[in-house]
Short mmCIF file of all heavy atoms in Angstrom, two decimals:
data_model
loop_
_atom_site.label_atom_id
_atom_site.label_comp_id
_atom_site.label_asym_id
_atom_site.label_seq_id
_atom_site.Cartn_x
_atom_site.Cartn_y
_atom_site.Cartn_z
N VAL A 56 -49.92 1.61 12.81
CA VAL A 56 -50.40 1.29 14.17
C VAL A 56 -51.72 2.01 14.43
O VAL A 56 -52.67 1.41 14.93
CB VAL A 56 -49.35 1.68 15.23
CG1 VAL A 56 -49.91 1.53 16.64
CG2 VAL A 56 -48.08 0.86 15.06
N ILE A 57 -51.80 3.27 14.06
CA ILE A 57 -53.03 4.04 14.26
C ILE A 57 -54.17 3.47 13.43
O ILE A 57 -55.30 3.34 13.90
CB ILE A 57 -52.78 5.54 13.97
CG1 ILE A 57 -51.90 6.14 15.08
CG2 ILE A 57 -54.09 6.31 13.83
CD1 ILE A 57 -51.37 7.52 14.79
N ALA A 58 -53.87 3.09 12.18
CA ALA A 58 -54.90 2.49 11.32
C ALA A 58 -55.40 1.17 11.92
O ALA A 58 -56.61 0.91 11.94
CB ALA A 58 -54.37 2.28 9.92
N LEU A 59 -54.48 0.34 12.42
CA LEU A 59 -54.89 -0.92 13.06
C LEU A 59 -55.72 -0.65 14.31
O LEU A 59 -56.69 -1.35 14.59
CB LEU A 59 -53.67 -1.76 13.43
CG LEU A 59 -52.92 -2.43 12.29
CD1 LEU A 59 -51.70 -3.17 12.84
CD2 LEU A 59 -53.81 -3.38 11.51
N ALA A 60 -55.33 0.36 15.07
CA ALA A 60 -56.08 0.71 16.28
C ALA A 60 -57.51 1.11 15.94
O ALA A 60 -58.45 0.76 16.66
CB ALA A 60 -55.37 1.82 17.06
N CYS A 61 -57.68 1.80 14.84
CA CYS A 61 -59.03 2.17 14.42
C CYS A 61 -59.81 0.95 13.96
O CYS A 61 -60.98 0.79 14.32
CB CYS A 61 -58.97 3.21 13.30
SG CYS A 61 -58.38 4.82 13.83
N ARG A 62 -59.20 0.08 13.20
CA ARG A 62 -59.91 -1.07 12.64
C ARG A 62 -60.16 -2.18 13.66
O ARG A 62 -61.28 -2.64 13.82
CB ARG A 62 -59.12 -1.67 11.49
CG ARG A 62 -59.32 -0.95 10.20
CD ARG A 62 -58.42 -1.50 9.11
NE ARG A 62 -58.61 -0.78 7.87
CZ ARG A 62 -58.23 0.46 7.67
NH1 ARG A 62 -57.65 1.14 8.62
NH2 ARG A 62 -58.44 1.05 6.51
N TYR A 63 -59.10 -2.63 14.32
CA TYR A 63 -59.21 -3.82 15.16
C TYR A 63 -59.45 -3.53 16.64
O TYR A 63 -60.01 -4.36 17.34
CB TYR A 63 -57.97 -4.70 14.99
CG TYR A 63 -57.89 -5.27 13.60
CD1 TYR A 63 -56.95 -4.81 12.69
CD2 TYR A 63 -58.76 -6.27 13.19
CE1 TYR A 63 -56.89 -5.32 11.41
CE2 TYR A 63 -58.71 -6.79 11.91
CZ TYR A 63 -57.77 -6.31 11.02
OH TYR A 63 -57.71 -6.81 9.75
N LEU A 64 -59.01 -2.36 17.11
CA LEU A 64 -59.29 -1.99 18.49
C LEU A 64 -60.56 -1.17 18.59
O LEU A 64 -61.03 -0.88 19.68
CB LEU A 64 -58.12 -1.20 19.10
CG LEU A 64 -56.74 -1.87 19.06
CD1 LEU A 64 -55.72 -1.00 19.77
CD2 LEU A 64 -56.77 -3.26 19.63
N ARG A 65 -61.10 -0.78 17.45
CA ARG A 65 -62.34 -0.02 17.34
C ARG A 65 -62.25 1.36 17.98
O ARG A 65 -63.21 1.87 18.55
CB ARG A 65 -63.53 -0.79 17.94
CG ARG A 65 -63.74 -2.15 17.35
CD ARG A 65 -64.31 -2.04 15.97
NE ARG A 65 -64.63 -3.36 15.44
CZ ARG A 65 -64.29 -3.76 14.24
NH1 ARG A 65 -63.63 -2.97 13.43
NH2 ARG A 65 -64.62 -4.96 13.81
N LEU A 66 -61.06 1.98 17.88
CA LEU A 66 -60.89 3.34 18.37
C LEU A 66 -61.28 4.33 17.29
O LEU A 66 -61.17 4.04 16.10
CB LEU A 66 -59.43 3.59 18.78
CG LEU A 66 -58.84 2.70 19.86
CD1 LEU A 66 -57.41 3.15 20.16
CD2 LEU A 66 -59.68 2.71 21.11
N THR A 67 -61.72 5.50 17.70
CA THR A 67 -61.90 6.58 16.74
C THR A 67 -60.51 7.08 16.36
O THR A 67 -59.54 6.85 17.10
CB THR A 67 -62.71 7.74 17.35
OG1 THR A 67 -61.93 8.34 18.40
CG2 THR A 67 -64.06 7.27 17.87
N PRO A 68 -60.38 7.79 15.24
CA PRO A 68 -59.07 8.36 14.92
C PRO A 68 -58.53 9.24 16.04
O PRO A 68 -57.34 9.18 16.36
CB PRO A 68 -59.32 9.15 13.63
CG PRO A 68 -60.44 8.40 12.97
CD PRO A 68 -61.33 7.98 14.13
#
Side-chain angles (χ1 to χ4, degrees):
V56 172
I57 289 169
L59 288 177
C61 290
R62 278 175 181 70
Y63 294 108
L64 304 184
R65 304 287 185 227
L66 300 183
T67 66

